[in-house]
Amino acid sequence: VLELMPEHTYVLKDLTELYIVTTQYEKADSLLLNILKKEPENLRVLFCLGEVRLFKGDLSEAKKYFQKVISITTVEYGPAIEYGYILFKEKKYKEAQKIFDMLIKIDESEIKKGMENHNYPYELARIYSILNKKDQAIDALKIAIMNGWKYYLFTIADPLLENIKDDARFKFLMNNMKIDLEQMKKKIRESSI
């Protein structure tokens, strides 16, 4: 898509996440930094560069990219949860909690409206995991999966879920998701024969 339509940067997030879950960080950087040279305030590119660093564990560099996004837009419409996670890791709990409270309010409001989008409960799972509220994190993750969250490799790699990854319930959910994905692949292969 990028070769045919280089201006169509929406696919950058998906491609970046593919590079992240396959630990091809250099490929992600090469792609993103080339675009950034031409478009230094491209929000999607800046976010993706921050995300690469976040998943690599370089929180100070991730924070720089996320702060740049926030300076162009707002926390709410930028990398709010990722930025909050970094603040939390820096022991800036009040600042982080303010962001998390805002996101929880937004996410719960959307869910109460009947929004069956898997992103809202997944974001809640991430927040509750950061706050070490394991039961709430697992419950939110279950809802996300029920609503179509199938990003197995991303979920396994997600540093924001670090507090629940050793939980037997998380492992059970990931095992079931992996089985579901294998069954989906099998159906696709069979239908293409």
Side-chain angles (χ1 to χ4, degrees), residues 46-170:
L46 291 166
F47 173 82
C48 289
L49 283 163
E51 192 171 43
V52 170
R53 274 125 192 95
L54 176 69
F55 276 74
K56 283 174 62 175
D58 188 348
L59 300 186
S60 63
E61 282 299 307
K63 185 178 181 181
K64 290 176 188 175
Y65 284 108
F66 294 147
Q67 284 176 319
K68 178 76 172 167
V69 173
I70 291 165
S71 74
I72 296 169
T73 179
T74 64
V75 168
E76 184 177 340
Y77 296 106
I81 190 166
E82 293 84 359
Y83 188 66
Y85 170 75
I86 294 169
L87 291 173
F88 195 85
K89 288 297 210 177
E90 294 174 340
K91 300 186 182 344
K92 296 177 180 173
Y93 301 121
K94 285 185 180 179
E95 291 177 62
Q97 190 64 55
K98 185 176 177 184
I99 292 170
F100 297 149
D101 289 344
M102 173 194 66
L103 293 173
I104 289 168
K105 184 177 178 181
I106 292 168
D107 294 342
E108 287 179 349
S109 171
E110 290 300 320
I111 292 168
K112 283 178 186 171
K113 289 180 193 174
M115 176 62 71
E116 293 180 3
N117 183 319
H118 53 71
N119 291 319
Y120 298 112
Y122 187 76
E123 186 168 85
L124 287 172
R126 296 174 97 194
I127 293 167
Y128 292 133
S129 173
I130 295 165
L131 298 173
N132 207 25
K133 296 181 177 183
K134 293 181 182 184
D135 292 340
Q136 289 172 281
I138 296 293
D139 289 344
L141 184 57
K142 283 180 191 174
I143 294 168
I145 293 168
M146 286 181 348
N147 286 332
W149 181 263
K150 300 290 183 206
Y151 303 98
Y152 171 77
L153 294 175
F154 183 87
T155 308
I156 293 292
D158 192 344
L160 280 64
L161 297 177
E162 66 191 352
N163 289 330
I164 62 171
K165 287 184 181 178
D166 289 334
D167 190 295
R169 297 169 295 175
F170 178 82

